[in-house]
Amino acid sequence: MTPAASILLVDDDQHLATSLGEWLADEGFEIHLAATVDHARQQLKKHSFVLVITDLRLGPDDGMTLVADIKRHYPTTPVLVMTGYATPNTAVEAIRAGAMDVLTKPVIDDELLLAIDRAMNQQKIESENETLRRQLDQRSGLENILSHDYRMLKIFDVIDSVADAKASILITGENGTGKSMIARAIHNRCQRRTGPFIEVACGALPDTLLESELFGHVAGAYTGANSDRRGKFELADGGTLFLDEIATATPAMQVKLLRVLQEFQFEPLGGMDTRTVDTRVILATNENLDKAVAEGTFRQDLFYRINVVNIVLPALRERPGDIPLLVDHFLREAAETAGREVEGFDREAMKCLQSYGWPGNVRQLENVVERAVLLATDRVLSKDDLPPDVLGTSANQHASIGSVGNSPGVTASHGTSSFNPTSLDGCSLREALEGPEREIILHSLRRHNWNRAATADELEINRTTLYKKMKRLGLDDPRLQYANH
């Protein structure tokens, strides 16, 4: 059996409160009575109510105070106000204090039931919205950080643990590993998420401009400073400031950063007044700060200040199992943006992607996938759609394979080839390689009586790739099967 909805009825008129309470009980509600504001507060601490109905005149007490208290301490509990002295100003004041509705005594039964039903439905909707909001918060900031790797899953746990901590967080890892995304995820999962998230690339600015960027400046601080300007620390007040490439900060800037991270106080460039901020700071670097401290290029005290929580992001080559997941995500995004219909990479291409070292990490992988989608001529992407560096081949590696035909810069004699680089003037690499590639494929097709599956196996490519190459090189003409050779 579903328990009856519990309502707190607050009225100093005992006869009216008892009578109304009995009628509401007959309507299926569980009723608790209170005659004063203090008694109502005690009841609210002891029980959970779906609704509070209160008079505004409670002897010496002001019912408006109770409405404001409920709004402050029990924001999900709706309040109905009943009063025999209602005026337009009273109604406006009650609504501003947090009441959902104002009813005039004597209250009509149907009117009260309608107001209760409306208030409870509104409370239900807000409760459902809060549940959905919590569910979204659990994923907020992590929805684009795709990984099955145990190290990344541990990092997700760390993000949850430190999201609301006041301590500075240092994110380290190679370029392209997603330090900015992790910083934003931390911000989105903390209580400051409604505040600003501001990112500063410290390595992109000279020292003077970086100081102005972080701390602001007053008019006349330097040539061109015609007016006062707020810095990023002040603009991020109540939110998060992400300082990327922190290892590039000069010794003088490191001193200023140490002070603001310790005291959250600073003076703008050229100014004398001290400003105080409540800013959460997240820092990142791809440098080895331990080594920098040992070499004297990074202050030891600043290092200890920022290295309270250190999140180390693994390189992409250390988690090849994540590559198919990331590739699928980037491929769908690129295909949607470019308006292309692409199914994915074939097995051979995916093997190449997983075996490559990815010096540019996730950022490089995203660029490679986008390039493949833009240049693809087939729905299924193959090795041919990948750049040479990913394949581990050089541009000239195939220029002298087997018996070749007429191709710019390449001549054949007795199964060997000689390469004349001067004859490639004005010729693209693709054009230079088309001749040798065509002859190799044609020779294999003839040897296997134009059996494409056998040809693909011999050439160690898949049939889709073979079909694409045959079409591009003009080998799909059926008349070639009957030509003299």
Side-chain angles (χ1 to χ4, degrees):
M1 178 181 292
T2 304
S6 185
I7 295 177
L8 175 61
L9 178 59
V10 187
D11 200 313
D12 63 341
D13 186 331
Q14 184 177 1
H15 175 73
L16 176 62
T18 301
S19 175
L20 182 58
E22 290 176 349
W23 177 75
L24 288 173
D26 291 339
E27 292 295 325
F29 299 102
E30 178 185 325
I31 303 300
H32 295 253
L33 299 179
T36 65
V37 170
D38 286 341
H39 190 198
R41 288 169 177 161
Q42 294 172 11
Q43 294 275 43
L44 286 164
K45 290 179 180 179
K46 293 179 181 178
H47 307 284
S48 178
F49 298 103
V50 298
L51 178 69
V52 175
I53 303 174
T54 182
D55 194 359
L56 286 183
R57 294 193 176 186
L58 301 171
D61 297 332
D62 183 1
M64 207 72 77
T65 302
L66 178 61
V67 175
D69 280 356
I70 295 172
K71 178 68 174 178
R72 185 182 307 111
H73 300 294
Y74 309 95
T76 61
T77 303
V79 179
L80 295 181
V81 166
M82 297 188 308
T83 179
Y85 307 93
T87 66
N89 289 337
T90 302
V92 170
E93 186 179 355
I95 296 298
R96 285 178 176 174
M100 182 169 290
D101 205 348
V102 178
L103 305 177
T104 304
K105 293 181 177 180
V107 179
I108 301 172
D109 294 351
D110 290 342
E111 181 184 7
L112 178 57
L113 286 177
L114 182 62
I116 291 174
D117 184 63
R118 186 166 56 242
M120 291 179 63
N121 284 334
Q122 180 65 28
Q123 192 270 347
K124 181 180 178 182
I125 292 172
E126 291 181 357
S127 178
E128 290 174 350
N129 287 343
E130 181 60 27
T131 300
L132 291 172
R133 193 177 297 113
R134 284 197 299 268
Q135 292 174 349
L136 289 173
D137 287 345
Q138 289 174 357
R139 295 185 63 243
S140 179
L142 296 178
E143 60 272 12
N144 290 325
I145 307 176
L146 305 174
S147 180
H148 296 314
D149 186 85
Y150 75 95
R151 285 163 296 188
M152 292 299 294
L153 296 180
K154 285 186 175 181
I155 288 173
F156 298 161
D157 291 338
V158 172
I159 290 174
D160 284 332
S161 300
V162 304
D164 286 318
K166 293 183 178 180
S168 299
I169 295 176
L170 177 63
I171 306 172
T172 56
E174 297 179 5
N175 284 332
T177 50
K179 295 186 288 294
S180 176
M181 190 174 291
I182 292 293
R184 190 173 291 275
I186 295 171
H187 171 77
N188 288 338
R189 296 172 74 80
C190 74
Q191 295 178 353
R192 297 172 176 265
R193 59 183 172 272
T194 56
F197 176 87
I198 296 179
E199 181 173 348
V200 178
C202 299
L205 298 169
D207 204 33
T208 303
L209 291 182
L210 179 59
E211 182 177 356
S212 173
E213 187 75 7
L214 295 179
F215 308 122
H217 62 249
V218 298
Y222 57 86
T223 303
N226 299 321
S227 60
D228 291 354
R229 182 174 181 271
R230 298 168 68 198
K232 293 296 193 286
F233 267 100
E234 195 168 355
L235 292 174
D237 190 22
T240 300
L241 178 63
F242 175 49
L243 301 179
D244 199 5
E245 303 175 47
I246 189 62
T248 62
T250 64
M253 178 55 64
Q254 291 176 33
V255 173
K256 293 181 173 66
L257 284 174
L258 178 61
R259 181 201 172 196
V260 73
L261 291 176
Q262 287 177 332
E263 305 172 6
F264 290 95
Q265 292 184 331
F266 61 91
E267 289 79 36
L269 184 63
M272 299 296 292
D273 61 311
T274 299
R275 301 180 184 180
T276 303
V277 293
D278 176 24
T279 303
R280 202 293 180 65
V281 181
I282 301 175
L283 309 98
T285 181
N286 61 347
E287 301 289 338
N288 185 333
L289 289 187
D290 286 297
K291 182 179 179 182
V293 170
E295 294 174 348
T297 59
F298 199 85
R299 291 182 63 96
Q300 186 179 57
D301 48 2
L302 178 59
F303 174 66
Y304 290 146
R305 169 59 59 182
I306 67 177
N307 196 36
V308 179
V309 177
N310 183 199
I311 296 177
V312 182
L313 297 183
L316 182 58
R317 62 181 172 275
E318 297 173 7
R319 48 188 183 103
D322 281 344
I323 289 178
L325 184 68
L326 292 165
V327 166
D328 180 67
H329 173 72
F330 293 143
L331 189 141
R332 284 186 282 106
E333 282 193 338
E336 182 178 355
T337 302
R340 302 286 183 89
E341 293 185 3
V342 180
E343 294 180 6
F345 287 92
D346 62 29
R347 183 176 300 178
E348 190 176 10
M350 185 60 71
K351 185 177 179 181
C352 291
L353 292 171
Q354 288 186 278
S355 61
Y356 181 57
W358 299 110
N361 291 290
V362 178
R363 186 182 298 128
Q364 183 188 8
L365 175 63
E366 182 178 10
N367 292 339
V368 167
V369 173
E370 183 178 7
R371 172 190 181 277
V373 170
L374 292 174
L375 300 180
T377 57
D378 201 343
R379 295 170 65 95
V380 177
L381 306 179
S382 69
K383 287 174 59 177
D384 290 341
D385 298 306
L386 300 176
D389 54 342
V390 174
L391 297 174
T393 60
S394 63
N396 294 325
Q397 185 171 338
H398 300 296
S400 58
I401 297 179
S403 176
V404 296
N406 296 328
S407 173
V410 181
T411 59
S413 175
H414 304 294
T416 61
S417 64
S418 60
F419 176 64
N420 181 10
T422 59
S423 61
L424 278 179
D425 293 346
C427 179
S428 70
L429 176 62
R430 181 166 182 165
E431 291 170 342
L433 295 177
E434 279 184 351
E437 186 177 28
R438 187 179 188 279
E439 289 299 321
I440 292 169
I441 295 174
L442 179 58
H443 181 69
S444 181
L445 284 167
R446 286 170 174 169
R447 187 163 57 252
H448 294 287
N449 295 318
W450 290 83
N451 184 316
R452 299 185 182 188
T455 299
D457 288 341
E458 181 184 62
L459 298 176
E460 296 184 357
I461 59 177
N462 61 56
R463 279 179 291 175
T464 301
T465 301
L466 177 63
Y467 298 156
K468 290 168 62 177
K469 289 180 176 293
M470 289 177 63
K471 184 176 181 180
R472 178 168 57 84
L473 299 171
L475 295 173
D476 58 342
D477 188 339
R479 292 175 295 180
L480 287 173
Q481 299 183 38
Y482 309 105
N484 293 329
H485 55 273

